[in-house]
Amino acid sequence: MEKYGIEATAEKGSIPSGLSPKEQDAKMRLMLQALLADRFKLTMRRQAKEVPVYRVVVNKGGPKLQKSRAEEKDCAEPGQDGGVPCHRFMGGQGRGLNGQAVTIADLAEFVENWSDRPVLDKTGIPGLFDIKSAGWSPLISSGGHGGGEENPADPSRPTLFTIFEQLGLKLEPQKAPVDIYVIEHVERPSEN
């Protein structure tokens, strides 16, 4: 398997100010897709496929979520001083979750990075929350690459399932249709 490092800088103004973080991420994904299509002649298609997923649902005792002090109008644009960074988490598996103004959909999207399957928000709970947690044990093996974390498989560490239970939520394994990308064509990249 060949690996490539990609360094790219977007033209100034190519991501307009005033976009939400999700809109900015979507714009960056489209720009990356265009770059890959140009340099690697990548063509792909998106299709729905039924796969194992985790559905985020409300646990028996109800949600134990702390409402954020911020509202959408208080959200700062990335790179802007003042305001609250909304829809963004800091941390991860070894450091836990830290989000000052995040939705349950943001939570599902963020923890999917450390999950063994897609994570879908099915709670129907609207609003922004302040979510903080401890780190958790991995669901997927790092293949011997611990990423510098001190013993992430420590049995005294909670699991991701436990973290969700502490929030009054539950990761429920199921099958559901999810959009996947199917690569139809790719070539070695062209020279700079």
Side-chain angles (χ1 to χ4, degrees):
M1 175 167 58
E2 294 180 40
K3 294 183 181 183
Y4 297 92
I6 297 174
E7 290 184 32
T9 304
E11 289 182 25
K12 189 173 180 131
S14 59
I15 300 178
S17 62
L19 294 179
S20 72
K22 289 207 182 288
E23 292 169 323
Q24 288 179 10
D25 288 347
K27 179 79 171 160
M28 284 192 289
R29 270 193 301 279
L30 288 174
M31 291 167 58
L32 179 60
Q33 287 174 0
L35 173 76
L36 294 173
D38 179 52
R39 298 300 301 277
F40 291 83
K41 307 301 182 225
L42 176 68
T43 56
M44 59 185 180
R45 64 183 160 79
R46 199 162 70 176
Q47 74 179 40
K49 182 176 181 181
E50 189 159 304
V51 298
V53 300
Y54 290 119
R55 291 175 25 141
V56 180
V57 296
V58 177
N59 213 348
K60 291 178 189 172
K64 299 172 187 165
L65 300 166
Q66 181 178 337
K67 194 90 171 134
S68 176
R69 288 181 274 182
E71 297 177 19
E72 286 290 341
K73 66 178 177 56
D74 303 319
C75 296
E77 291 182 30
Q80 176 186 13
D81 290 333
V84 175
C86 297
H87 305 286
R88 298 280 186 211
F89 276 97
M90 299 298 289
Q93 179 176 288
R95 298 178 310 273
L97 301 168
N98 186 1
Q100 293 179 1
V102 293
T103 64
I104 304 302
D106 297 330
L107 172 65
E109 184 179 328
F110 186 71
V111 300
E112 188 173 292
N113 291 309
W114 295 277
S115 174
D116 56 342
R117 54 180 74 179
V119 180
L120 309 174
D121 173 22
K122 296 298 181 182
T123 63
I125 300 173
L128 295 174
F129 302 93
D130 186 355
I131 297 178
K132 292 182 180 28
S133 80
W136 60 88
S137 293
L139 286 175
I140 45 182
S141 170
S142 62
H145 304 291
E149 296 173 10
E150 293 182 27
N151 197 6
D154 179 351
S156 66
R157 223 178 221 188
T159 65
L160 190 54
F161 296 99
T162 306
I163 298 296
F164 272 77
E165 287 173 13
Q166 291 167 353
L167 297 171
L169 304 171
K170 181 178 179 182
L171 286 175
E172 189 175 78
Q174 273 195 353
K175 281 197 166 195
V178 173
D179 281 344
I180 63 166
Y181 292 95
V182 178
I183 296 174
E184 295 181 327
H185 180 81
V186 67
E187 297 176 8
R188 283 192 169 83
S190 59
E191 293 294 324
N192 284 335

